[in-house]
Structures are given as C-alpha cells and as structure tokens.
Amino acid sequence: MPASPAPPRPNAVVAVLALAGIVVALMQTLVIPIIPELPKLLDASASDAAWAVTATLLASAVATPVVGRLGDMFGKRRMLLLSLVLLISGSVVCGLSDALVPMVAGRALQGLSAAVIPLGISIMRDELPAERLAGATAVMSASLGVGGALGLPAAALIADKLDWHMLFWLSGALGVVSLVLVLALVPESAVRTGGRFDLLGGIGMAAGLASLLLAISKGGDWGWSSGTTLGLFAAAVVILLVWGWWELHTTEPLVDLRTTARRQVLFTNLASVAIGFSMFAMSLVLPQLLQLPEATGYGLGRSLLTTGLVMAPSGLVMMAFAPVSAKVSKARGPKVTLMIGALIVAAGYGLNIVLMAEVWHLVLVSCVISAGIGFAYGAMPSLIMGAVPASETAAANSLNTLMRSLGTSVASAIAGVILAQMTIDLGGFALPSENAFKVVMAIGAGAALLAFAIASFIPRHRPAAPAAGTAPADGVETEPASVR
C-alpha cells in the first residue's frame, strides 16, 4: 500500500500562509515612496501615471471573489499558488519596465494576487485542528497590516538608496520564497465543490466593480459631477442589479447571495466596509501630518523614511494583538471581539484629534488604532466561517476581503475631497489645513462607531452540538436555521 501523506504541521502551515499574506500586502505598499516620481520615471502625465495604482486596485477587486470561488471549486492551494505566480510575474514585468504601459500591466498582474489572504484563511479552516483555527485566522488577517506597515520604511529606504526597480525585484524574490514554501509545507485540501464556473457572473461582477471603483478612485481627477464619473456610477448600479438577478437565478452562482444575505454574513460584511474605511483613514492622515512642513504649525517636517519608521510599529501591534483577539473570541465570541475592536479604533481617532503635535503622539495613535484593527480583522473570518459551509469558505472570505477593500476605496475618495477643499496657503501652495485632518479623523471615528453599531445586529449564538464527524472551530459562532 502507498504511504499516506504526512499530516500537515500546523505551525509551519500558519507561518507560511502568514508570510504569503505579508508579501502580498508588501506588494501593495512598495510603490508609495515613488508615486510622486512616477510621471518622470515613466515619462507620463501625473493622471496617467496614477494608473499604476488604480490598475492594482481594480485587478484585486475583480480577482478576489473570482479566485476565491475557483479555490472552493478546484482547490484552494492550487489557486494560492496561481496567485503567487501572478505576483511574481507582475513583479518581473514592473522590474523590467521604464514605460507606462508595461508598468500598468505589471501592477495589474500583481493586483490579481490579492486573494492570497482569504485563500490562506480558508486553507486553515480545512487543515488545522479546531482549537488552533481562531488564533491562526487572526494572525493571517493581521498579515495585511504587518506587510503594509513594514513595507513603507523598507520601500522608502530602497527607493532612496537604490534603483527604484529594486522595489519590484524584492517583491518578486519574496514571492518566489513564498511559492517554494507553500509547495513544500502547505497541503492541498480535499474540501472542494467542483462544478461549473459562473462565467457570466464573473464578467458581470468584474464590469460592475470596475465601474464603481473607477468612479470612486478617479472621480476627484475627472470631477464628481462630470459625465464620465456619473455615467460610471450609473453603469455600476445597473450592472450590479442585473448581476444580482442572474446570481439568484443561476444554478451554480459565483456568489451565493442567499448565503450572503444571512444576518451573520450580511452584518459582518457591512461592518467590514466601515472598518476598512477606518483603517485607510489612518493611512492617509498620519503620513501627511508627519511630512508636511513645520511652517504650517501642525506638520512635523519628517522624511518619508522617518514616516515609514513611525508607522512600522503599528503592524507589529496588529500582529501582537492577533492572539489576544483569538482568546477573546474563544471566551466571548467573535461578535464581541469585533465590537471591542471597533471601539478601540474610534478611541484611537478621538485621541488623534487632541494628540497630533509630536512624533510620539502619532506613534501612540497608530498603535491604538492598529490594536483595534487587529481585534476586528481577527474576528471577521470567524464570523464568516461560522455561517457558511466549508465548501463555500474561500468564496465567502474573499467577498469579506472585497468589502474591506470597498471601504478603503471610499475612504480614499472622501478623505481626498476633504483634504483638497479645506486648505491653507503656504508660499503659494495649497496644503490641507489642520481642521481638514481633524474632520477626516472624526469621520474615521464615526465609521468605527458605525461598525460597532452594525456588529451589534450580528446574531450571538454559541455553536450547537456538532453532527457526527464534524467539529466546529472554537470561537466560531454559528446561526440557527431560524435566522438563516
């Protein structure tokens, strides 16, 4: 008889998947130091060069739910490996690029790897012992913040000291390391649905999301009342309504909207939008406060590298609070953990309104907000997985990730409008005023409180006794049939 495959090693699986998540988050952060220089580096206008960022946003929004569904159908590890290959390919293309078109193409390929984190969470559900799941998924969720926080100072240092192409060669090298480790240490799950992929559903979702996110991300450049912006918003509404009708009537939908409408899933996803908004508001406000000239009276006049170093502890705090989040979820349920996280985030923004005059103030604020994000992000996968069958885990987690991304996109648009409208004049240059930053902070706090209110509607039920042969994960809440 052939030897049975060795059982997965939980610590190795968690470490490798978390590393892959950090690499993907790092990829999204790497271009921040060179954004002001992109027009010169690519010989393009500022509006055209911005597509190097927009392309990643659009590609990740489209790829996340589609790849998640494919993972449920054909194998989560297989789709994880494909995502890493796309990240490596995009990094190579960008590393060889000196013109706009290949750079945008490479960044789009990188964006297609965004499903790595929800796929990793779904693999954990299939492969880890039940008692390890809550902590492992919290660590995986925190990898998003760790990669973003650590990527900024690393990218700033590389961009300052080396050729900017090295940013992408670093991303590619880390992608190769992750790929090799996944091949060696992460098993393929036997939990899969097979079936037919909903191609029309995929096209419809891609078109609807692309229209919506283009309008949100480019509305400030095109004008919020321009025909292009309003036309894209209208197209998004129409396409997504038609897509929703199709998903409800096809036999094997890309997104099971009936499952998505369950109270636990619906309110978790709505809270995720608000939490995503809050997280990105911090990312927009604090770096600008650190870098604005001291002559403004509230700017701290620091370099990009110093800014990155100030923000770096926030990622470590997020990772440090992942096991705390898991323990609270195990003791009180992930609904309570999500609500605690939202309150901590709101408190962090309130603190920021009164403490913004010193570097240590912003270090403290970023750490408080990140602690709250760590709580909230650790709870969301548990809430989602407690309400969907194992066969839909990757698709459901991917949709939840998409909801967070929608929140960050809306935050970027709203904060951009506020910071552009509330300005002061300094040497002939219009700069965001102190009150503009305080308004954005207040909105970030309001979004966190909204997440708290939404989370209060999530049903709170302890798991029922498992059926024979099943073992629900500790800390994962489930709904009774009566509320589904």
Side-chain angles (χ1 to χ4, degrees):
M1 293 180 61
S4 60
R9 290 175 283 176
N11 290 338
V13 170
V14 173
V16 170
L17 293 176
L19 173 63
I22 290 172
V23 170
V24 169
L26 185 72
M27 170 274 298
Q28 296 172 337
T29 310
L30 282 178
V31 297
I32 291 178
I34 62 171
I35 286 176
E37 303 297 322
L38 279 178
K40 180 177 68 175
L41 296 174
L42 302 176
D43 192 22
S45 66
S47 60
D48 286 342
W51 281 100
V53 177
T54 305
T56 308
L57 169 69
L58 296 178
S60 61
V62 171
T64 300
V66 171
V67 175
R69 175 60 180 151
L70 289 171
D72 282 332
M73 293 173 64
F74 304 118
K76 304 175 185 71
R77 177 178 179 267
R78 181 177 298 173
M79 290 300 111
L80 177 64
L81 291 170
L82 175 61
S83 297
L84 290 172
V85 168
L86 290 170
L87 184 147
I88 296 165
S89 301
S91 300
V92 171
V93 171
C94 292
L96 296 172
S97 297
D98 286 305
L100 179 65
V101 172
M103 174 63 73
V104 171
R107 289 290 292 162
L109 283 172
Q110 288 186 316
L112 293 175
S113 68
V116 162
I117 291 177
L119 286 170
I121 291 171
S122 304
I123 291 172
M124 289 175 177
R125 183 184 192 182
D126 294 344
E127 301 300 330
L128 298 183
E131 66 273 11
R132 292 290 308 272
L133 183 57
T137 55
V139 169
M140 189 70 194
S141 294
S143 68
L144 177 65
V146 175
L150 299 184
L152 186 57
L157 181 62
I158 292 171
D160 185 48
K161 302 296 184 182
L162 303 171
D163 180 76
W164 63 274
H165 293 91
M166 287 300 299
L167 294 171
F168 300 103
W169 292 119
L170 172 64
S171 174
L174 292 173
V176 170
V177 171
S178 298
L179 181 71
V180 171
L181 291 175
V182 170
L183 282 169
L185 298 172
V186 177
E188 179 61 273
S189 169
V191 181
R192 60 182 72 178
T193 63
R196 177 185 61 85
F197 179 71
D198 179 16
L199 181 60
L200 284 178
I203 294 172
M205 173 175 266
L209 287 175
S211 299
L212 177 62
L213 291 172
L214 266 179
I216 292 173
S217 61
K218 303 294 285 185
D221 294 334
W222 295 337
W224 293 106
S225 60
S226 70
T228 302
T229 303
L230 295 178
L232 284 170
F233 276 125
V237 171
V238 172
I239 292 170
L240 291 175
L241 285 175
V242 173
W243 171 80
W245 178 89
W246 170 261
E247 294 297 284
L248 288 170
H249 289 83
T250 189
T251 55
E252 297 183 75
L254 175 69
V255 177
D256 187 341
L257 294 180
R258 291 179 176 85
T259 297
T260 305
R262 295 174 183 172
R263 280 179 62 194
Q264 186 158 319
V265 179
L266 175 63
F267 286 113
T268 300
N269 282 333
L270 291 175
S272 298
V273 176
I275 289 293
F277 186 108
S278 291
M279 179 182 179
F280 202 66
M282 173 186 72
S283 302
L284 289 169
V285 168
L286 299 190
Q288 291 197 56
L289 283 173
L290 284 161
Q291 293 180 78
L292 281 174
E294 293 182 0
T296 60
Y298 50 88
L300 300 178
R302 307 293 171 160
S303 67
L304 182 62
L305 178 57
T306 301
T307 299
L309 292 172
V310 168
M311 299 295 292
S314 64
L316 301 178
V317 167
M318 196 178 299
M319 183 65 78
F321 272 84
V324 181
S325 168
K327 289 180 180 178
V328 174
S329 292
K330 186 175 182 178
R332 306 290 297 177
K335 170 185 175 176
V336 173
T337 308
L338 175 55
M339 295 175 73
I340 291 173
L343 288 180
I344 294 173
V345 172
Y349 279 111
L351 199 62
N352 199 183
I353 292 175
V354 297
L355 291 179
M356 52 185 292
E358 303 287 343
V359 170
W360 72 265
H361 290 172
L362 301 189
V363 173
L364 174 64
V365 165
S366 67
C367 288
V368 171
I369 293 174
S370 294
I373 296 294
F375 265 84
Y377 274 22
M380 290 171 190
S382 292
L383 287 165
I384 293 296
M385 291 188 292
V388 303
S391 59
E392 298 178 17
T393 303
N397 277 321
S398 295
L399 184 62
N400 181 252
T401 300
L402 174 62
M403 293 300 104
R404 298 184 221 172
S405 297
L406 288 176
T408 62
S409 298
V410 173
S412 177
I414 292 178
V417 170
I418 293 170
L419 296 177
Q421 295 298 318
M422 301 177 65
T423 61
I424 63 169
D425 182 86
L426 183 66
F429 294 95
L431 298 175
S433 67
E434 183 177 12
N435 285 335
F437 289 114
K438 290 184 176 181
V439 168
V440 175
M441 294 171 204
I443 293 174
L449 292 175
L450 177 61
F452 174 86
I454 292 171
S456 70
F457 290 98
I458 297 172
R460 186 180 179 193
H461 300 282
R462 300 310 301 168
T470 65
D474 285 350
V476 177
E477 294 185 350
T478 57
E479 294 179 315
S482 60
V483 298
R484 291 186 184 181

